[in-house]
Amino acid sequence: MRLTNYTDYSLRVLIYIATKDQNELSNIKEIADIYGISKNHLMKVIYQLGKNGYIETIRGRNGGFRLARAPEEINIGEVVRNTEEDFQLVECFDPKCNHCIISPVCNLRHILHEALDAYLKVLDKYTLADIVTNKIELQDVFHQM
């Protein structure tokens, strides 16, 4: 299982914002500069994170964004489910695109489903707060950039 860059960037944005004081605003430029990610790509990520209720956006000259929920309330498994396009690990996971001739008798599909379920269950055990327990070290890395 590999996460898309979109999900990776979404998690990185949340981590960065979670290291800030609760009312301190972040902006796309600072996050793009810190992580070396395109501003255009981050705009899409920020939009989706706002739409999903993870961040709130404040418009205007001194605007920016901050977490809309406490880090303890942002579940990592939920974020991954909301940002990944699909979890079609193999062709047979999608009946519309499945052309594998062994699908009707294949046991691999069931094993891969079990593995995917286990993967997501592990992510479901963690929140953003769990990821930023080393907030000071993260802030030090961010300030070095």
Side-chain angles (χ1 to χ4, degrees), residues 1 3 80 87 114-124:
M1 179 75 203
L3 297 177
V80 168
F87 291 95
E114 184 179 345
L116 177 59
D117 288 344
Y119 176 80
L120 292 171
K121 281 181 185 170
V122 169
L123 294 177
D124 286 339

Side-chain angles (χ1 to χ4, degrees), residues 43-140:
M43 285 175 28
K44 296 173 193 169
V45 168
I46 298 298
Y47 173 77
Q48 191 65 41
L49 289 172
K51 189 174 172 184
N52 287 337
Y54 300 119
I55 63 172
E56 69 174 315
T57 304
I58 290 77
R59 297 193 182 271
R61 182 175 180 176
N62 295 316
F65 43 85
R66 61 181 168 225
L67 292 178
R69 300 189 242 168
E72 298 81 18
E73 296 173 9
I74 298 177
N75 181 273
I76 301 306
E78 177 188 311
V79 173
V80 168
R81 283 181 184 88
N82 285 330
T83 54
E84 280 296 305
E85 291 178 11
D86 66 57
F87 291 95
Q88 310 299 329
L89 299 182
V90 289
E91 179 181 314
C92 62
F93 276 32
D94 185 355
K96 294 178 221 144
C97 299
N98 185 17
H99 300 295
C100 181
I101 62 168
I102 64 171
S103 289
V105 294
C106 182
N107 290 324
L108 178 61
R109 176 177 45 186
H110 304 296
I111 293 168
L112 292 174
H113 270 292
E114 184 179 345
L116 177 59
D117 288 344
Y119 176 80
L120 292 171
K121 281 181 185 170
V122 169
L123 294 177
D124 286 339
K125 293 182 347 185
Y126 296 95
T127 67
L128 183 57
D130 296 316
I131 295 175
V132 296
T133 57
N134 60 339
K135 191 177 193 175
I136 292 176
E137 290 92 340
L138 286 165
Q139 289 172 337
D140 287 345

